[in-house]
Amino acid sequence: MTDTHEEEVLARIAKGLVYTESEAAFQAPRRRTEQIFEYNQTPPSETEKRRSLLVAIFGSVGERTVLMPPFHAGFGSNVHIGDDFFGNVNLTFVDDVDIRIGNGVMIAPSVTLTTTGHPVHPSRRADFGRFSEPIVIEDKVWIGSNVVVLPGVRIGYGSVIGAGSVVSRSIPPMTVALGTPCRVVRPITDEDLTTRTAGH
């Protein structure tokens, strides 16, 4: 496969256009599947080994990162995580393109962040035809259990995504959003400094 062909495929991916598994096969060396498997088998007491594996797996990773195994990633190398991150068990990154996570982000169990979808018409899904758009999660976001974040979504600073939501559109900063599809239900205000839950 020529460099010109690879550049053409990467340009199509960057535009969110459909591409196939065969066309993108040259990216396989960027997959960190062996290191992810090793991380998920590493005992909790081996904190230095876990840290070194995270540095090897992710495109970039900040300080004081907690990621509870098991987690899963298509590549790993397209994930960028800021400082003071907490990711609970069964976090899945479908990172065919970049997933960028800011500082102070908390993610509850069984969340999926997927940059990739597939065309509706079956003939366009031949050879695993797909499209990819990056995900951005800004600083101080909290994502509840069993949330799915879809391609191209940006979740704004400080926002809370309610458990079980499917986030198909970007969410503005400092809001509570929930549902399928996920919608903003209210702003986060100073009144929330005196309450325990987002609902009161």
Side-chain angles (χ1 to χ4, degrees):
M1 192 171 290
T2 65
D3 289 345
T4 305
H5 176 77
E6 292 180 5
E7 288 168 13
E8 187 268 330
V9 172
L10 290 171
R12 282 191 8 240
I13 293 171
K15 291 176 184 174
L17 301 175
V18 174
Y19 63 99
T20 67
E21 179 69 20
S22 297
E23 289 174 326
F26 66 89
Q27 293 187 310
R30 300 189 63 236
R31 293 185 186 272
R32 305 291 182 252
T33 50
E34 292 293 327
Q35 294 96 326
I36 292 166
F37 178 85
E38 187 176 358
Y39 182 87
N40 288 333
Q41 310 303 315
T42 301
S45 59
E46 295 186 24
T47 53
E48 288 184 16
K49 182 178 179 183
R50 278 190 175 181
R51 172 67 188 179
S52 67
L53 282 166
L54 287 183
V55 169
I57 291 164
F58 292 134
S60 59
V61 59
E63 299 299 321
R64 298 171 300 280
T65 299
V66 177
L67 180 55
M68 304 297 290
F71 84 96
H72 311 280
F75 283 82
S77 58
N78 291 326
V79 176
H80 301 269
I81 296 175
D83 297 334
D84 301 305
F85 171 80
F86 182 87
N88 217 317
V89 296
N90 293 320
L91 176 53
T92 298
F93 302 100
V94 182
D95 62 321
D96 293 278
V97 295
D98 280 357
I99 296 174
R100 295 194 172 270
I101 298 172
N103 299 322
V105 170
M106 297 192 305
I107 299 181
S110 300
V111 168
T112 298
L113 308 175
T114 180
T115 65
T116 295
H118 301 276
V120 172
H121 198 288
S123 68
R124 300 206 72 198
R125 296 197 298 270
D127 191 16
F128 305 106
R130 58 188 181 265
F131 58 86
S132 301
E133 298 178 65
I135 289 171
V136 177
I137 298 170
E138 296 183 4
D139 296 350
K140 309 284 188 179
V141 166
W142 170 29
I143 298 177
S145 298
N146 295 298
V147 167
V148 178
V149 179
L150 295 178
V153 164
R154 174 183 285 264
I155 300 177
Y157 173 92
S159 287
V160 175
I161 308 299
S165 298
V166 177
V167 190
S168 57
R169 295 181 185 158
S170 293
I171 303 298
M174 292 298 285
T175 56
V176 176
L178 52 87
T180 303
C182 189
R183 287 184 164 80
V184 173
V185 294
R186 68 175 185 84
I188 295 171
T189 69
D190 286 351
E191 288 184 20
D192 291 303
L193 293 169
T194 62
T195 61
R196 182 182 70 83
T197 66
H200 307 115

